[in-house]
Amino acid sequence: DQQVKQNSPSLSVQEGRISILNCDYTNSMFDYFLWYKKYPAEGPTFLISISSIKDKNEDGRFTVFLNKSAKHLSLHIVPSQPGDSAVYFCAASDPSGTYKYIFGTGTRLKVLA
Amino acid sequence: DVKVTQSSRYLVKRTGEKVFLECVQDMDHENMFWYRQDPGLGLRLIYFSYDVKMKEKGDIPEGYSVSREKKERFSLILESASTNQTSMYLCASSLGGMGNTFGSGTRLTVV
């Protein structure tokens, strides 16, 4: 049973426009979320995080929004650049205290020049 | 910067072979993890360890074992490789509840 879901396997966006990547979760006990970016043949790299006490966190071109009542988070990239083309994973911290993260299935973003 | 190093980028092994995937981190992190990444399935946790000689099963431990004899090293062992274990394997480490820092991955092909 997938507790963290990324329902869009792929997304294409024009350079300069906004990219919005979505993530839904089922467990209301999740209290910390992260986004990772992964290029082919490389490991994922940390992008941005958000705690459940916030509804927004911003870092440069990247903003993560959290809607706890909807159990939904989204990553906004503005403006999108060709170098942003990668697979993006959202992850939720396991509330059992084991320091595990539960990952979504990923969304492949393609930014068109 | 934390560095997580996986010993091989690409491996090709035969069905039935015993396979060792090695991972070393250099920042004294307590927690280490092994994931596999498959298209459409995301990152799935195989095993993790939060201390030397400690190990916990993740979501898909069948066919795998692990070893953590030293804090900086976490090995994944495929006891008898099968073709359905062809995958990208990712090692990660973390300090406490902080997010995972990943290695570059090992692309394993079992023929």
Side-chain angles (χ1 to χ4, degrees), chain A residues 36 38 41 43 99-101 103, chain B residues 9 33 37 48 96-97 100 103:
Chain A
Y36 282 85
K38 185 182 184 299
Y99 304 130
K100 293 191 306 180
Y101 281 86
F103 284 81
Chain B
R9 292 299 298 270
F33 307 83
Q37 183 200 357
F48 67 103
N100 290 176

Side-chain angles (χ1 to χ4, degrees), chain B residues 49-75:
Chain B
S49 167
Y50 48 86
D51 202 353
V52 176
K53 297 194 187 293
M54 304 295 286
K55 61 184 179 185
E56 294 282 343
K57 292 180 180 179
D59 300 317
I60 51 163
E62 296 79 19
Y64 303 94
S65 63
V66 290
S67 171
R68 192 159 181 209
E69 296 296 319
K70 293 185 178 182
K71 191 174 186 178
E72 67 270 18
R73 187 179 296 270
F74 192 36
S75 304

Side-chain angles (χ1 to χ4, degrees), chain A residues 72-86:
Chain A
H72 177 83
L73 63 156
S74 60
L75 175 68
H76 293 211
I77 307 173
V78 184
S80 302
Q81 298 172 354
D84 296 328
S85 297

Side-chain angles (χ1 to χ4, degrees), chain A residues 4 22-23 34 37 56-57 60 64 68-69 77 79 91 100 113:
Chain A
V4 178
N22 294 304
C23 181
L34 304 94
K37 174 176 166 178
K56 176 183 172 181
N57 189 26
V64 56
K68 290 184 288 292
S69 60
I77 307 173
K100 293 191 306 180

Side-chain angles (χ1 to χ4, degrees), chain B residues 95-108:
Chain B
L95 183 65
M98 301 297 288
N100 290 176
T101 299
F102 285 87
S104 297
T106 297
R107 168 83 53 198
L108 173 67

